[in-house]
Amino acid sequence: MKPAAALAWLRCAGARAWIAAFSLLVVVITAWDPAAVLLRSAQPTSLKLPVLGLLLASGGVLVASVWVQRFSYAQSFMAAWTFVFLGMTGALQGAQGRYPWHGSFSTGHVTKVAWIALLGFAVMATLSFVPRLPWQRVTLARTDHAVRSRLAGTPSIAWALVGLQLVSTLLLVGYLGPHAMVNGREEFKAALAQAVGRPGLGSAFFLATALGMVLPAALLWLRRHRHCSWLAVVLSVIAGAVANNPLIGSRFLTACFGVALVCALLNRNLVARLLPAGMVLGLLFVFPSLDLWRGDGTGSHTFTVASPRSTLATGDFDAFEMTARAVEAKDAGNSGLQSPGEQAGSALFYWVPGLARHFPKVGSGSVVGTATGMTFTNVSMPLQGEGYLLGGIGGALGVCALMGLWLQWLRRGSLGRSGWTPGPTDAATGALLFIVLRGSIMSVLDYLLAAVFVGVLLQIMSGRRAGRRRRP
């Protein structure tokens, strides 16, 4: 290695170390109170062990993910989401035995749920760090010139995807009317209900919002190699902003679009590694107030900043409780649950014309909520809970393994002389994981599949297959 290159590497490694130290500080400060409450509680050691294990494991992976050379938004955000929504909430709520929707569980049951959450996270995290799986080949890194030459076929693909996004967005606005796009969740839902039956409405809504989340970030990935015009990027961003604007009242759509775009703009910048710790702080202090524009009486009325202890007791942080309810209902053989086929079919075909009508259009969170006596059922269902409903502990670990494999594929990215670049939809997947992992997965799996489709298509067309060189 030349002296100048060695000095640059040392400077980069030093900056990564400082960022990791900052992230560790955020993890320690935010986890201190929930961990202290759990340790001081009268709960038995058998419960404290897996809950603290989940808190420490997710926080540790978050810090490690911003320190290693191959930084991936998706991997880091997976750890951040688990740290807050399962680790911190599990510690605080489990210690006090008080949950947002007033569930009542035995100590043994909470212990089992904590182990399921911990093992599921361990599977995802472990697979995401694997340098190479047995079926993945290893070749030498391509030079930048070789990479650019293989991108020659991608502009037409990019424009085809942008064209599909523009047509879908225009069709959606034409069906609902511009007024419905800027007047809150209630009016948007009413306009959707009135437009039911119009040809292609569901597909237009899904494609406009899904491509709006995924495509702008992916096009910026292409633009980095000058094989996507700025016009395509700008048009995609404008269409995404229209379809996913905050005035339709959806935190899911707006947040995923905004986060994916910001992450893509900061890609390959060391500042990007500060985002996971920043997201932890945002989830604790800002996230509960991001439904100001809902307009249906169920959202925030003012922008407020609350303490983590009070924030973690609200319905926005019901992931641990809903996992516990899912495990309880499955173990009891509750007749109100869907069959595994209905659950999987609803998630896979929710936006597919023709097939969707053959499956119940209700998420697992709502089904479990109703089956366990809840009156308000607009609730979460984390990935571990979804998997447990499908096939017990094996199902929970299986779906977590699939997620880990996707994260590993994204993280391997590719290498050229200018350095490492993650997969084309790494930023979009990172943004989507806050909802995919939180669930219910019925309404969000197809969005993730859209990211998978766009990512694999662009990766294959550009000839930049994952894993050009072994690196930790």
Side-chain angles (χ1 to χ4, degrees), residues 41 45 49 64 70 82 85 119 150 191 230 237 276 279 285 310 314 327 336 342 351 385 390 419 435 453 459 469:
S41 71
T45 303
L49 183 62
R70 288 192 169 190
T82 304
F85 282 93
L119 292 174
R150 293 294 299 274
W230 277 115
V237 170
M279 290 304 257
F285 296 106
S310 60
T314 65
V327 173
E342 289 175 328
W351 294 107
L390 283 171
I435 309 301
F453 172 78
Q459 197 88 327
R469 183 184 297 166

Side-chain angles (χ1 to χ4, degrees), residues 135-302:
W135 59 84
Q136 292 171 328
R137 63 193 181 115
V138 177
T139 61
L140 294 176
R142 296 182 182 276
T143 64
D144 287 352
H145 176 75
V147 168
R148 284 194 293 268
S149 67
R150 293 294 299 274
L151 283 165
T154 55
S156 58
I157 296 296
W159 273 112
L161 291 171
V162 172
L164 180 61
Q165 181 190 6
L166 291 174
V167 170
S168 302
T169 304
L170 290 173
L171 189 61
L172 177 66
V173 175
Y175 275 156
L176 303 185
H179 192 263
M181 303 294 294
V182 294
N183 279 279
R185 183 175 186 172
E186 195 67 21
E187 184 159 340
F188 182 76
K189 290 170 64 177
L192 278 176
Q194 291 176 359
V196 168
R198 294 189 177 186
L201 172 64
S203 298
F205 177 78
F206 169 70
L207 290 172
T209 52
L211 291 176
M213 295 176 193
V214 174
L215 198 54
L219 293 180
L220 285 170
W221 178 84
L222 283 179
R223 178 60 198 169
R224 196 167 292 117
H225 301 282
R226 299 180 182 178
H227 276 78
C228 176
S229 72
W230 277 115
L231 179 60
V233 175
V234 170
L235 289 175
S236 182
V237 170
I238 292 173
V242 170
N244 300 314
N245 80 82
L247 299 177
I248 63 176
S250 172
R251 291 181 298 178
F252 162 47
L253 299 176
T254 302
C256 286
F257 166 72
V259 170
L261 192 58
V262 169
C263 289
L265 290 170
L266 292 176
N267 219 348
R268 295 178 65 181
N269 189 316
L270 281 171
V271 175
R273 296 173 182 255
L274 293 169
L275 290 181
M279 290 304 257
V280 169
L281 298 175
L283 287 170
L284 291 173
F285 296 106
V286 180
F287 173 71
S289 293
L290 289 184
D291 53 4
L292 287 166
W293 294 285
R294 277 192 173 182
D296 62 355
T298 65
S300 303
H301 299 288
T302 59

Side-chain angles (χ1 to χ4, degrees), residues 326-327 329-330 337 340 343 364 368 381 384-392:
V327 173
K330 177 74 172 180
L337 299 180
Q343 181 188 351
S364 299
V368 169
M381 183 49 61
Q384 287 92 327
E386 293 276 358
Y388 197 88
L389 291 171
L390 283 171

